[in-house]
Amino acid sequence: MGSARYTELGAFLRSRRERIRPADVGLPTGPRRRVPGLRRDEVAQLAGASVDYYNELERGAGSQPSEQMIAALARALRLTGDERDHLYHLAGRPVPAQGTAASHVHPGMFDLLHRLTSTPAQVITDLHVTLVQNPLARALLGDQSAFTGPRASFVYRWFTEPGARGLYPEADHAAQSRAFVADLRAAAARRDAKDAEASALIGSLLELSAEFAALWAERDVAFRRNDRKRLNHPMLGLIEVNCLNLFSEDGRQRLLWFTPAVGTDSAGLLDLLAVVGTQDITGP
């Protein structure tokens, strides 16, 4: 990189890193810490970057960071919305629109997700775009945060890509379709009537999926708040869970966490997720 802007980007990253206490992000403080805040390797770990790459960023060197990397750094450093936007400007990248996979995660949601270490949890948008997952959620559902464009919405994939339905037993597909459509109608109504993101998603689905169009015409409306789900896991088999939702104040983000359904053997199966690790699964 090398320009004055990238030099400022490195200085900004360093200033944000130095203000965070390790305990704020779940890292041990330790008796021998010689730097204020986080170390560079700790930020790299939290952002999913290599230590060498992050070191180059702080030096104002290396290649221009991608939008995905900027989003990951903003989350790792617990940036506010304004700080996140400033980071994009310094990197010479456009600030992503709300609702995309690079959206800024609501700080309260991110903090709660960080504290949920013993249960699968993730933050999604009201249009079912996954923003961030904890390790157990990736183990249970696969990595859902890497999709871009319309495919970032799981509702879009559900109705346009048959493979996206593999996580649910076939007997549950019809009920899931109805629930997704009713939830999408509720989310779209909660937004402004001229909201481009929701309108584009609905318009695409009406054009591409006859099933979606038929269900949309029924005009059912209901937010998904507390569901009991049966999930097919490629190594652990069928897992029955309760899916609980916490909505942000504006309703555009949701914290989802999964607990074992009472009366099943799912508690033991969920305990095995940490051993199994992240799976390559198409849908949530």
Side-chain angles (χ1 to χ4, degrees), residues 117-121 134-142 167 231-237 239 241 258-260 266-279 281:
T117 58
S118 61
T119 190
N134 70 8
L136 290 179
R138 290 194 296 272
L140 177 65
L141 308 170
L167 192 57
L231 303 174
N232 288 321
H233 191 278
M235 297 182 66
L236 301 178
I239 305 176
V241 297
F258 302 84
T259 61
S266 297
L269 294 175
L270 290 179
D271 287 340
L272 291 173
L273 287 175
V275 179
V276 170
T278 301
Q279 297 300 306
I281 303 173

Side-chain angles (χ1 to χ4, degrees), residues 131-147:
L131 302 179
V132 63
Q133 298 172 285
N134 70 8
L136 290 179
R138 290 194 296 272
L140 177 65
L141 308 170
D143 186 353
Q144 299 294 313
S145 61
F147 296 97

Side-chain angles (χ1 to χ4, degrees), residues 154 158 165-170 173 176 229-232 284:
F154 181 65
W158 177 265
R165 302 190 176 198
L167 192 57
Y168 291 94
E170 187 173 357
H173 288 182
Q176 291 297 328
K229 297 175 180 282
R230 298 191 302 160
L231 303 174
N232 288 321

Side-chain angles (χ1 to χ4, degrees), residues 23-219:
D24 293 338
V25 293
L27 296 174
T29 301
R32 295 186 176 180
R33 298 191 69 89
R34 294 178 292 179
V35 296
L38 300 180
R39 299 191 301 265
R40 291 186 181 89
D41 64 295
E42 291 170 333
V43 176
Q45 176 187 348
L46 291 169
S50 72
V51 177
D52 288 343
Y53 178 73
Y54 182 75
N55 285 340
E56 287 185 345
L57 286 180
E58 280 209 7
R59 292 200 303 268
S63 59
Q64 182 185 29
S66 67
E67 293 180 20
Q68 292 80 7
M69 178 53 61
I70 299 170
L73 289 169
R75 293 165 188 168
L77 293 169
R78 303 298 196 268
L79 300 188
T80 66
D82 290 339
E83 290 172 333
R84 191 277 314 243
D85 292 353
H86 183 59
L87 190 61
Y88 274 94
H89 292 315
L90 290 176
R93 296 288 189 184
V95 177
Q98 284 298 318
T100 67
S103 292
H104 190 58
V105 178
H106 188 285
M109 295 282 189
F110 198 85
D111 184 60
L112 284 173
L113 178 74
H114 161 68
R115 296 174 187 277
L116 291 172
T117 58
S118 61
T119 190
Q122 60 185 18
V123 177
I124 68 171
T125 73
D126 56 342
L127 302 185
H128 293 264
V129 175
T130 300
L131 302 179
V132 63
Q133 298 172 285
N134 70 8
L136 290 179
R138 290 194 296 272
L140 177 65
L141 308 170
D143 186 353
Q144 299 294 313
S145 61
F147 296 97
T148 59
R151 298 183 68 238
S153 168
F154 181 65
V155 175
Y156 181 91
R157 302 198 306 276
W158 177 265
F159 286 103
T160 62
E161 302 176 15
R165 302 190 176 198
L167 192 57
Y168 291 94
E170 187 173 357
D172 298 348
H173 288 182
Q176 291 297 328
S177 292
R178 284 188 173 278
F180 278 129
V181 173
D183 182 85
L184 180 58
R185 184 178 287 279
R190 191 170 188 168
R191 293 182 174 217
D192 185 276
K194 297 180 180 179
D195 184 85
E197 184 187 5
S199 297
L201 175 61
I202 294 165
S204 295
L205 289 174
L206 287 172
E207 180 180 348
L208 296 172
S209 171
E211 179 191 14
F212 178 86
L215 291 172
W216 188 257
E218 295 182 10
R219 289 178 166 77

